[in-house]
Amino acid sequence: MTVPDDAVQRPGPRLEEPVEKAVGPKTAKALHKLGIRTTGDLVRHYPRRYVRWGDMTRIGQLHEGEHVTIDAEVVQATVRTMRSRGGAMLQVVLRNHGDTIEVTWFARHAGALRYHEQQLRPGATGLFSGQVKSYRGKLQLLHPDYEVFGPDELEAAVARGESERPRPVYGLTSGLQNSTVVNAVATVLDTLRVEDVPDPVPPLVRRERDLATADWALEAVHRPVDDDQRRRALRRLRYEEAFVLQAELARRRARAVAQAATARPGRAGGILDAFDARLPFVLTDGQRAVGEEIAHELAADRPMQRLLQGEVGSGKTVVALRAMLQVVDSGGQAALLAPTEVLAAQHVRTLRAMLGDLAAGGMLGGAEDATRVALLTGSQSTAARRSALAEAAGGAAGIVVGTHALLSEHVQFADLGLVVVDEQHRFGVEQRDALRAKAGGVPHLLVMTATPIPRTVAMTVFGDLETSTLRQVPAGRAEVVTHVVPASRPAWVERTWRRVREEVDGGGRAYVVCPRIDATEGRAAKDDGDGADLVLDDGPDVEQAEAEAPRVLRAVTEVAEELRASAALQGVTVGVLHGRMSPEEKERALADFASGAVPVLVSTTVVEVGVDVPEATAMVVLDADRFGVSQLHQLRGRIGRGDRPGVCLLVADAPEGTPAQTRLATLAATRDGFELAAVDLELRREGDVLGAAQSGRGTSLRLLRVARDGDLIAEAREDARALVEVDPELLTAPALGAAIEAVLAGERDEFIDRT
């Protein structure tokens, strides 16, 4: 069956109905825990995996460790309470061909076993599939899947004949059985008509890509006849997810390209030329190439929409500053939006240091052709804020750096020509657009990220931006070696602190990073100062590790006290830095660290990005197994920024063979951020990669896997761009427009604009 070209724009009424109407209130209540509210949500709750029950096996021929399916009769079923260990168990005795085996289910209370008890009454027959285990010398099946036959012999024969087909296994929650979901989905599918399932993928695209229709795919993904049908359905649904997202990205890109912007070509003999003449180093080939690319786009009358990604220490700040100076030379202003006050203040210090008297426009000692760099944050003093606001509104400040405070309605610009967004994943679309709206027109946009992004993620998350990449690190950057230190070996940990002392005695500085601020927090939390200190990152094994081996994570305040009292650091001043400190306290802590007055700084991940202390040569990360690859790579990038080599010590409990151990071993083996990004993508949960989970809902990519489906994503991107080029409003594809609204509404910021 195929969906007509003029498919309705909204899902059919059956897919909009409350799920209660299809399955009843009791089952619906359990489904609500999975976020399933409508029948449409239910049929889009795809199986997590499939199992094949296989050929029938006689009980007398079973062997421990086998995965088997037996055709048997229930002889006895008994529920009893377990006094010694608590909870309840259901013991069922099965018989076929004269032999018997015990089948057991465990639960927290007897009520949770009532469903099984009702299904498995003595005399009932059915198929039971699971792994054979041994308990006290006797074979048994533990928590097997099963299907009970009705009195109809034909039904039983059909069930036995279908034992080879792939059977769906769904994500469940308490009070919900897999068979309940199977039956609920079947109830909805049996009543659906073709016109109830609008198809977001136009017929022409389906034909060119040899894709099934949406209604066929929904039927086949839940009730496949064989593996070929299952694979075809999954491919179609994965493509649909990619196509819907890429169509929205293509529309945003088309809208941006269609707008007019003020050309900012710069001028000869201006502040950019003066800055270039003073550079104490030679730009890398990559910096020059990307700079020319950006300069060309700034000189056009259409808004630049560019993502600048680069390896840690690749010189993105210089590239961005040269772009900002070109805009200043053209009579405009540039705004640099940073995610935290620490990073905003760091940017201001860096820009002023790089510009020297070129940043002192109209001031005593300022160069003849100079501008100013202003800072705007939410916690500034009234006088400092008033001064910065005046410089931005009057145009005296050609470059304005700030946090979310730049988005305030009180902030005005004389002529905003360029918006530079640092650390893109910290901002959503609305925040970015709020700043761009202050331009009065459409400013050019440069997005920077210090986290190298694999090609598939770039296509999926930043599909509306053109991408520039800096891979080359400037000459003269010091080497940094990384070692994993087992936290369970006291002698190794003690050697870590002696190594820190050696660096300090040699004139270096050392960061010590902890996942918590103080011991009053729970297992870990976001720092409540800047919102910068997200400590538990993206490793898929974090929650599992905590469940299996809960432990108290190290905290800044207690670690600082321990180090001050330690023999290894006797006489060494130890400072602290975290997001709960006031801006003045943070500034003082960083200044003391940079000067060497406080050579050891115990910090949260507030130092993850932007902090630049060339004398820093050592980094110790405690509980390193609780951080993700990209975050550890960023932290490591804070050292070795001068001409002295650095050492990074990752103190962790990471058993051999765990994902955490893989992350740490990979970090120790390479400093290539792009290689690490690829490993990171393989290890991370999909929702975290795309950020949709941050909205409080499940990720909209239910089947698509960015690490696996790169070719399919590329195909969807090509098709979506071709469609939007001829039909930017999707008037010929109303079902696609409806799918975009249904899938992305309410989470577009997080879904599209986070990595």
Side-chain angles (χ1 to χ4, degrees):
M1 294 180 289
T2 58
V3 177
D5 292 5
D6 58 347
V8 293
Q9 295 194 35
R10 302 291 306 168
R14 284 176 175 77
L15 295 183
E16 290 184 329
E17 290 176 349
V19 72
E20 287 87 344
K21 191 169 181 179
V23 302
K26 184 178 179 180
T27 300
K29 184 177 180 181
L31 291 173
H32 286 173
K33 298 177 184 178
L34 296 172
I36 298 173
R37 301 284 175 179
T38 68
T39 53
D41 294 336
L42 180 58
V43 296
R44 295 286 183 176
H45 181 61
Y46 303 126
R48 294 179 61 181
R49 59 188 175 89
Y50 297 84
V51 296
R52 178 176 285 100
W53 286 12
D55 296 331
M56 301 300 112
T57 306
R58 291 190 176 196
I59 291 177
Q61 298 172 343
L62 299 181
H63 299 282
E64 183 178 357
E66 291 181 315
H67 192 286
V68 300
T69 298
I70 58 176
D71 183 352
E73 176 188 0
V74 177
V75 177
Q76 180 182 340
T78 307
V79 174
R80 65 181 182 86
T81 301
M82 298 180 293
R83 295 180 179 178
S84 59
R85 55 183 289 187
M89 65 184 298
L90 169 62
Q91 290 178 301
V92 175
V93 178
L94 301 178
R95 178 175 58 203
N96 76 1
H97 299 280
D99 296 305
T100 61
I101 188 172
E102 191 173 273
V103 181
T104 308
W105 284 266
F106 295 99
R108 292 182 179 178
H109 53 84
L113 297 169
R114 190 167 295 116
Y115 173 84
H116 296 301
E117 185 182 14
Q118 291 172 348
Q119 294 290 309
L120 302 174
R121 297 181 184 278
T125 59
L127 301 180
F128 299 81
S129 181
Q131 189 173 25
V132 181
K133 297 180 179 295
S134 178
Y135 178 67
R136 293 183 177 178
K138 299 177 66 174
L139 298 181
Q140 66 170 358
L141 294 181
L142 188 64
H143 289 259
D145 293 319
Y146 66 89
E147 182 175 321
V148 176
F149 306 145
D152 190 335
E153 284 298 323
L154 179 60
E155 175 188 337
V158 170
R160 293 184 180 101
E162 290 188 349
S163 64
E164 280 289 328
R165 68 178 174 82
R167 293 171 179 260
V169 178
Y170 295 91
L172 302 172
T173 185
S174 59
L176 199 60
Q177 304 290 332
N178 191 67
S179 58
T180 305
V181 180
V182 170
N183 294 333
V185 170
T187 299
V188 176
L189 291 177
D190 287 344
T191 63
L192 281 183
R193 303 164 300 179
V194 173
E195 56 268 28
D196 294 329
V197 189
D199 199 327
V201 184
L204 179 61
V205 176
R206 291 202 305 269
R207 287 193 294 271
E208 290 182 347
R209 297 295 183 189
D210 189 27
L211 298 169
T213 57
D215 62 294
W216 184 93
L218 286 178
E219 170 72 27
V221 78
H222 291 290
R223 301 191 287 200
V225 173
D226 52 33
D227 285 336
D228 182 66
Q229 195 176 85
R230 172 183 59 83
R231 284 191 290 266
R232 190 176 178 213
L234 289 171
R235 181 177 180 274
R236 149 66 211 221
L237 294 171
R238 287 185 186 119
Y239 180 92
E240 179 182 315
E241 291 181 356
F243 185 72
V244 170
L245 175 59
Q246 291 299 330
E248 170 64 2
L249 292 170
R251 284 205 303 179
R252 287 187 55 194
R253 183 172 177 270
R255 285 195 293 265
V257 170
Q259 293 175 311
T262 302
R264 309 287 181 172
R267 61 185 175 86
I271 188 172
L272 176 56
D273 285 348
F275 173 74
D276 284 346
R278 300 179 180 195
L279 275 176
F281 53 83
V282 177
L283 295 174
T284 66
D285 293 341
Q287 286 174 316
R288 282 195 296 272
V290 172
E292 291 171 3
E293 209 168 36
I294 292 173
H296 176 74
E297 291 186 343
L298 289 175
D301 58 4
R302 291 187 175 183
M304 176 178 71
Q305 296 269 112
R306 186 160 290 278
L307 168 71
L308 174 59
Q309 65 165 329
E311 182 59 89
V312 173
S314 59
K316 294 180 297 297
T317 303
V318 173
V319 172
L321 176 55
R322 295 185 72 253
M324 290 189 281
L325 295 180
Q326 178 174 327
V327 171
V328 172
D329 277 337
S330 304
Q333 294 168 286
L336 173 55
L337 186 59
T340 70
E341 292 189 347
V342 167
L343 186 51
Q346 176 71 51
H347 275 312
V348 169
R349 285 193 298 270
T350 300
L351 296 179
R352 286 175 177 167
M354 294 174 73
L355 289 169
D357 59 0
L358 294 174
M363 302 169 66
L364 186 64
E368 181 178 348
D369 195 357
T371 188
R372 294 186 194 174
V373 179
L375 174 65
L376 262 173
T377 64
S379 58
Q380 282 179 305
S381 67
T382 301
R385 181 172 175 79
R386 186 179 295 120
S387 175
L389 286 171
E391 289 184 343
I399 299 174
V400 182
V401 181
T403 57
H404 293 77
L406 284 181
L407 307 175
S408 166
E409 61 183 15
H410 302 295
V411 180
Q412 301 296 325
F413 292 86
D415 182 11
L416 182 58
L418 172 65
V419 174
V420 180
V421 180
D422 195 14
E423 290 309 303
Q424 161 73 1
H425 62 286
R426 308 286 178 117
F427 298 100
V429 177
E430 291 180 4
Q431 294 170 314
R432 195 175 77 183
D433 288 350
L435 184 55
R436 294 174 64 195
K438 294 178 179 294
V442 181
H444 299 280
L445 174 68
L446 179 65
V447 171
M448 295 195 300
T449 176
T451 304
I453 303 169
R455 167 179 166 270
T456 50
V457 176
M459 284 193 301
T460 305
V461 184
F462 299 105
D464 59 329
L465 305 178
E466 299 301 324
T467 303
S468 295
T469 301
L470 291 176
R471 290 181 176 270
Q472 189 178 359
V473 176
R477 289 298 294 269
E479 181 62 31
V480 175
V481 295
T482 303
H483 299 289
V484 179
V485 178
S488 58
R489 303 184 67 169
W492 288 50
V493 176
E494 180 60 30
R495 172 60 185 140
T496 295
W497 303 125
R498 292 201 304 272
R499 187 71 177 84
V500 167
R501 179 58 183 259
E502 292 168 7
E503 292 297 318
V504 171
D505 289 346
R509 318 275 190 274
Y511 296 102
V512 179
V513 177
C514 304
R516 296 190 303 157
I517 298 175
D518 57 48
T520 63
E521 293 178 315
R523 62 182 183 90
K526 282 188 179 181
D527 193 342
D528 60 3
D530 292 325
D533 299 335
L534 180 61
V535 291
L536 286 187
D537 197 357
D538 40 46
D541 57 313
V542 166
E543 294 176 1
Q544 179 182 350
E546 289 180 347
E548 293 176 352
R551 70 174 191 263
V552 178
L553 303 183
R554 303 310 307 275
V556 169
T557 53
E558 62 184 13
V559 169
E561 288 303 316
E562 289 177 15
L563 295 184
R564 288 168 184 148
S566 71
L569 296 177
Q570 192 69 38
V572 175
T573 306
V574 177
V576 299
L577 176 66
H578 55 74
R580 291 183 189 169
M581 298 165 62
S582 69
E584 293 77 18
E585 290 172 328
K586 294 175 189 173
E587 285 285 332
R588 186 162 55 252
L590 281 172
D592 288 344
F593 182 65
S595 70
V598 179
V600 175
L601 186 64
V602 185
S603 171
T604 58
T605 55
V606 71
V607 298
E608 178 185 348
V609 291
V611 177
D612 187 7
V613 178
E615 295 79 13
T617 57
M619 166 76 68
V620 179
V621 183
L622 301 177
D623 294 312
D625 53 307
R626 298 306 174 98
F627 296 86
V629 172
S630 60
Q631 195 168 34
L632 290 171
H633 184 53
Q634 289 298 315
L635 289 168
R636 180 171 59 182
R638 298 309 99 203
I639 62 174
R641 303 179 71 85
D643 56 3
R644 298 178 54 185
V647 58
C648 178
L649 303 172
L650 306 175
V651 182
D653 281 315
E656 193 73 27
T658 62
Q661 189 269 338
T662 300
R663 294 203 303 273
L664 298 179
T666 304
L667 275 154
T670 181
R671 288 183 66 192
D672 186 331
F674 290 90
E675 180 181 338
L676 291 171
V679 172
D680 200 15
L681 182 58
E682 291 288 345
L683 293 173
R684 292 169 73 172
R685 292 187 300 265
E686 208 70 11
D688 292 327
V689 172
L690 297 175
Q694 312 240 354
S695 67
R697 300 166 60 182
T699 172
S700 292
L701 296 192
R702 295 176 173 90
L703 296 173
L704 192 72
R705 294 294 175 263
V706 175
R708 177 195 62 205
D709 298 323
D711 291 342
L712 186 144
I713 292 169
E715 291 176 0
R717 186 188 198 198
E718 178 185 337
D719 296 340
R721 285 192 170 188
L723 174 62
V724 170
E725 187 175 342
V726 297
D727 182 12
E729 298 304 318
L730 303 180
L731 299 177
T732 62
L736 174 58
I740 291 173
E741 292 304 316
V743 174
L744 302 183
E747 57 180 72
R748 185 173 288 138
D749 286 2
E750 295 85 359
F751 187 77
I752 295 179
D753 283 276
R754 291 175 181 265
T755 55

